[in-house]
Amino acid sequence: NILNADCDKILANVGNIRNPADASLKNAVQAYAHLFKALAIGQMCMFWEQVAYQSTTTGINATFESRTSALDKAVKLCDDAVALLGATPLPASFTNVVG
């Protein structure tokens, strides 16, 4: 749940990257967050029948989705990450730090 929430924070703030002209860096950060959010959702699906994966609906009034719906979301996140990585090459400034 923490990884899922942290990925949401990254995705919400990707627009704050200092160099707005560097679209490839933004895409790399977004793709990275999408992949880790998908991993977090997939991990939750392995343990629970229903998952609260949307950080806006967590806490006391959490909205739970079915495992199937959550896995569909994880697959969409992976597809979105692939599209982002296909749009621009990974910048050296990203791969030097992240790998």
Side-chain angles (χ1 to χ4, degrees):
N1 285 324
I2 291 171
L3 178 59
N4 181 40
D6 285 347
C7 289
D8 284 340
K9 289 176 190 174
I10 292 168
L11 292 170
N13 289 292
V14 75
N16 295 332
I17 290 177
R18 288 192 178 144
N19 186 357
D22 192 359
S24 61
L25 179 60
K26 284 185 177 184
N27 285 352
V29 170
Q30 276 186 297
Y32 200 70
H34 282 318
L35 292 173
F36 274 89
K37 184 172 176 70
L39 286 170
I41 292 170
Q43 188 69 24
M44 288 188 282
C45 289
M46 289 175 51
F47 292 100
W48 295 291
E49 193 173 290
Q50 294 190 357
V51 178
Y53 62 83
Q54 297 176 0
S55 64
T56 57
T57 61
T58 57
I60 295 171
N61 297 318
T63 302
F64 287 84
E65 304 286 336
S66 70
R67 180 181 289 154
T68 303
S69 173
L71 289 172
D72 287 343
K73 174 66 175 179
V75 169
K76 183 181 180 329
L77 286 166
C78 290
D79 290 342
D80 291 347
V82 168
L84 286 166
L85 293 175
T88 56
L90 287 174
S93 61
F94 182 82
T95 55
N96 290 340
V97 174
V98 177

